[in-house]
Amino acid sequence: MTAAPTAEPVDPGGQTSTRHPVRVDLDGDFALADLLALPDTGPARRITATQATLARLWRPDAAVPAEPVTGPPPGATTAPGSPTQADAALLHRIETGGLFRPPVHTQVATLTPEAAAAWLALAAHWIDLSRATGDLRFLNSACKLTGAVWIRRHGGAGAWGGPGLTTQLAAVGRLLGEATDRLSSRLAHRVLLPEPARPGDEELRPTRFTGAARTRTVVLAAAGSRSASRLITAATAAGLPIETVCWYPAGSRSGPAAASNYSSAWYPPTLPDLSPPPRVPNDVPVTTAESWDDVAAAIRAVDADLVLLVGMSVLPARVLDAAKLGVLNAHNGALPVQRGMDAVGWALLHNQPIVCSLHLARPAVDAGEVLAAHPVPVAPTRTLAARVKAAQLRLLLAGAAHVAATGALPDLTPQPAAGTQFYRLHPHLKRVLDASPYAHDDHPEGR
């Protein structure tokens, strides 16, 4: 739910970017121009997901056979089909295993040149797969694997600078360059329908709640959340009682990780909100939790029926079970097709609508039953982040009002088990979006 700072569109292959500068060691990032400058001496080699799984390539210290990868015969072209179950399982394992958590250089400190060569071969396979299927998650992970290898190649010596690894890195760089050009061209030719600015699209405007509430509601949010304060202020102004707000333990935003391009989701540039955050009304009690046990205790202390979650944290079972009816979360993507991180950026990359979803929080990421959905027009892009945030808060208010009036949850629509999960966008793809029409409002249809 965090908007990106204002900046001009940039060249995704360039060395610098105001919004998403290349931070090699911190993010496992690369300037595409540096990869393209490597000597071009041979084709990319490839490894299948099954081979990669057998080699346990989710580990940087994986023991890789001497000849783990193969190249296509001379004159042959690669024509991968649909992703296999091995591709999907390996993608999830690599993305959720902590390899790309900033600072990335510490996560890959034990990466060997042999495993690096296999990572690049897997990246080449996934770039092919992304082109064949249109599933950009594989291109995203290929960028992460390549960036991790570039950290070691960039600062290493000996085998890290040898011709074999350099040849493979250069070949994958060419594949990434071609994929970037194709994606940038597609984004540049998207039809963006102009939407007239509608007063109040960024406001909450909850319906006035009348009568006695039949349930007790708690708001759970990261300490000091501006969005939570907006939600509570709007709820109480509309006559919807909030028993307490519980500030939960938030991850640290200080230190090197705060400078990471992974620290916030991608949104189009927007003017910074310099207004002071709304204050939680004095008649709403505030609890500060030091642990998830404290959170569960705070919920039970007020005999809560419902918890409104403001934020993206995955809650442990003891918190999910503390309220009688459950925990409601508003996700900024359409469920079940856009679970996970950077939902707005992924929706734009895949030319899909932006839809916020109200769902019951479950232990699995964004997998709970859906209660309601709220579409959000893309344009005007300069207000997209604010309008998405407002849509999420409106959904939470509407769900809370229904529960307060009826004493029960709204109709629940179960999600299929096979939803699509997305992961954090690599900074290279964020720079591709920065250079696209989605990053500004002067596209032809909007003039």
Side-chain angles (χ1 to χ4, degrees):
M1 295 173 63
T2 304
T6 304
E8 294 299 319
V10 296
D11 175 6
Q15 296 280 350
T16 60
S17 162
T18 304
R19 275 163 54 87
H20 299 107
V22 174
R23 296 186 170 99
V24 174
D25 288 349
L26 181 61
D27 290 339
D29 199 2
F30 54 83
L32 186 56
D34 288 342
L35 299 183
L36 296 176
L38 295 172
D40 179 3
T41 58
R45 305 171 78 189
R46 290 164 173 82
I47 187 172
T48 67
T50 299
Q51 292 171 309
T53 301
L54 290 173
R56 302 172 65 85
L57 282 191
W58 57 87
R59 295 174 55 92
D61 59 350
V64 181
E67 291 294 332
V69 293
T70 58
T77 57
T78 302
S82 299
T84 65
Q85 289 185 346
D87 283 301
L90 184 60
L91 182 81
H92 182 73
R93 188 155 197 171
I94 286 178
E95 284 283 3
T96 59
L99 279 175
F100 309 122
R101 183 182 301 119
V104 178
H105 72 91
T106 64
Q107 314 298 338
V108 299
T110 59
L111 182 66
T112 65
E114 295 76 19
W119 279 16
L120 292 172
L122 180 61
H125 166 63
W126 276 351
I127 295 169
D128 293 341
L129 196 58
S130 179
R131 181 178 185 180
T133 64
D135 189 340
L136 295 171
R137 293 180 302 162
F138 291 101
L139 176 60
N140 187 55
S141 294
C143 288
K144 294 177 182 179
L145 290 168
T146 304
V149 174
W150 181 244
I151 290 176
R152 302 302 310 276
R153 167 64 170 73
H154 187 68
W160 289 104
L165 193 62
T166 299
T167 295
Q168 179 70 356
L169 194 54
V172 171
R174 291 196 307 276
L175 293 176
L176 284 174
E178 294 165 1
T180 299
D181 289 344
R182 287 192 300 270
L183 179 57
S184 298
S185 177
R186 291 181 59 202
L187 294 176
H189 291 88
R190 293 276 174 83
V191 174
L192 287 151
L193 297 178
E195 291 283 341
R198 292 175 292 189
D201 265 5
E202 300 161 41
E203 303 301 323
L204 301 187
R205 307 185 312 278
T207 302
R208 180 72 187 175
F209 182 80
T210 58
R214 302 175 63 179
T215 52
R216 301 168 70 84
T217 301
V218 169
V219 172
L220 178 58
S225 165
R226 176 186 288 264
S227 294
S229 297
R230 286 185 66 196
L231 177 74
I232 297 164
T233 300
T236 55
L240 183 63
I242 302 295
E243 298 301 323
T244 187
V245 55
C246 180
W247 300 128
Y248 69 72
S252 174
R253 289 273 181 170
S254 60
S260 170
N261 288 310
Y262 286 116
S263 65
S264 60
W266 189 91
Y267 281 96
T270 185
L271 294 175
D273 185 357
L274 300 179
S275 63
R279 300 184 61 179
V280 174
N282 292 331
D283 58 346
V284 177
V286 175
T287 301
T288 300
E290 298 296 332
S291 68
W292 291 120
D293 287 334
D294 290 346
V295 171
I299 295 170
R300 291 194 175 97
V302 297
D303 196 26
D305 299 284
L306 185 71
V307 172
L308 304 180
L309 177 63
V310 183
M312 300 175 66
S313 180
V314 177
L315 302 180
R318 60 187 180 278
V319 174
L320 294 175
D321 295 338
K324 298 172 186 175
L325 295 177
V327 178
L328 296 187
N329 181 54
H331 176 56
N332 61 348
L335 296 177
V337 297
Q338 288 171 354
R339 294 176 182 168
M341 309 301 294
D342 270 305
V344 168
W346 282 114
L348 297 178
L349 284 171
H350 285 118
N351 204 16
Q352 296 173 340
I354 296 172
V355 178
C356 296
S357 304
L358 182 67
H359 68 98
L360 201 59
R362 296 294 189 190
V365 175
D366 298 327
E369 298 90 329
V370 176
L371 287 72
H374 190 318
V376 181
V378 173
T381 60
R382 65 185 175 278
T383 62
L384 178 59
R387 289 182 289 110
V388 167
K389 187 178 297 183
Q392 292 176 271
L393 297 180
R394 285 195 203 108
L395 284 168
L396 289 169
L397 286 168
H402 178 98
V403 172
T406 65
L409 291 170
D411 178 66
L412 302 176
T413 302
Q415 295 189 53
T420 305
Q421 183 167 347
F422 291 88
Y423 311 96
R424 292 190 185 276
L425 279 170
H426 187 269
H428 178 69
L429 293 188
K430 290 185 175 183
R431 288 191 289 273
V432 171
L433 281 168
D434 286 344
S436 77
Y438 292 122
H440 48 88
D441 284 315
D442 60 351
H443 46 81
E445 293 85 358
R447 290 175 185 160

